Amino acid sequence: MPTSKPEIVTVPKANYIAVRGKGNPNEEGGAYQQAISVLYAVAYTLKMSYKSDYKIEGFFEYVMPPLEGFWWQDDVADVDYADKSTFNWISVIRLPDFVAKKDFEWAVETASKKKKMDCSSAEYLTLEEGLCVQMMHIGAFDDEPASVALMDAYLAENEYVNDMTDKRLHHEIYMVFICNGNTTCNCQTFYFHFVIDP
C-alpha cells in the first residue's frame, strides 16, 4: 500500500478492461460516466461468469479491483485543472491474469445483451508501465497538484527523470471516495508517474 510520501516502484505488465474518451469527468450523464457503466457491466459479467454456462480456464472467485484512470491533455505542458473539458482519459479495471482476450470478448457480447447497452467501446488493454514514482493522495481531486509537485520534487532530489509522454501517462487508482451531496469529493488515490533511472 503506497504511503503519502513518494517512492520508486516497478509496475509489472497487466491486462485491463479499458474505455477511452474525452471530456469533463464530472459532467452529469457525460462520456466519462457512460464509460464507467460499460466498464462495470463487462467487469461484473466476468466476475460472475462461474454462475453461467461459460467457463473461464483457471477461474477462481475474486474481489472486484478498483477503478483506475490514465489522464492527459493535448498540447499542454502542465495539467490545466481549471479546464476539465479538455481531459483525455482511459478508464480501466484490471483483469485477473486468468482472463484471456477470448473471455473478455465473450463478456462484452454477453453484457451488451443482458444489460441492453452497447459495450463495444470496451477494449482489452495490456500495459507494462515499468519504473514509476508512486504516492497516496488523500483529499479533493482539485488538490492533486500539491501531490504531483511532491512527486516531481522527489524525482529531482533523487536524480530521476520524469518520463511522461503521450504513451506514458499520469495513472490514478481510486481506492476510496467520500462524497457529501454536491460538495467536493474526497478520495484516497494512488498516483503513478513514469520515470527513467538516474
Side-chain angles (χ1 to χ4, degrees):
M1 179 76 72
T3 69
S4 58
K5 294 182 179 180
E7 60 182 345
I8 297 296
V9 297
T10 299
V11 182
K13 182 168 71 173
N15 299 320
Y16 301 89
I17 308 166
V19 179
R20 301 170 187 263
K22 182 172 184 175
N24 187 339
N26 299 324
E27 180 186 352
E28 188 70 29
Y32 182 78
Q33 294 185 8
Q34 293 174 31
I36 301 307
S37 296
V38 170
L39 283 178
Y40 278 105
V42 176
Y44 274 105
T45 298
L46 286 164
K47 177 175 168 56
M48 304 307 293
S49 62
Y50 70 96
K51 293 188 174 183
S52 73
D53 292 334
Y54 186 86
K55 302 305 176 186
I56 297 175
E57 184 177 353
F59 181 93
F60 55 83
E61 292 188 53
Y62 59 95
V63 175
M64 178 66 70
L67 179 68
E68 307 183 35
F70 296 88
W71 299 84
W72 75 100
Q73 290 170 308
D74 297 323
D75 304 318
V76 176
D78 295 314
V79 178
D80 180 5
Y81 290 91
D83 188 4
K84 294 182 174 64
S85 66
T86 61
F87 276 128
N88 298 284
W89 38 263
I90 307 173
S91 292
V92 304
I93 295 176
R94 186 168 177 171
L95 290 168
D97 291 341
F98 56 73
V99 175
K101 190 171 183 180
K102 64 181 178 66
D103 304 317
F104 164 81
E105 291 170 347
W106 165 83
V108 170
E109 181 180 355
T110 301
S112 296
K113 290 178 180 177
K114 287 192 172 182
K115 302 293 184 181
K116 294 181 170 57
M117 61 188 295
D118 183 5
C119 295
S120 62
S121 58
E123 62 181 275
Y124 186 89
L125 179 66
T126 301
L127 291 173
E128 186 170 4
E129 296 179 84
L131 199 65
C132 294
V133 59
Q134 73 170 11
M135 71 172 291
M136 175 78 83
H137 168 81
I138 300 176
F141 289 116
D142 287 343
D143 294 335
E144 287 182 10
S147 293
V148 172
L150 286 175
M151 291 196 295
D152 288 340
Y154 175 84
L155 294 179
E157 289 167 5
N158 291 277
E159 300 183 343
Y160 287 92
V161 176
N162 193 326
D163 192 33
M164 301 289 288
T165 69
D166 59 348
K167 302 296 183 184
R168 308 189 76 192
L169 305 170
H170 174 76
H171 182 182
E172 302 180 355
I173 303 178
Y174 310 111
M175 303 305 297
V176 178
F177 290 90
I178 303 174
C179 295
N180 182 13
N182 294 321
T183 60
T184 301
C185 292
N186 287 327
C187 59
Q188 292 182 3
T189 309
F190 298 171
Y191 289 159
F192 296 93
H193 277 186
F194 295 97
V195 299
I196 298 176
D197 255 327

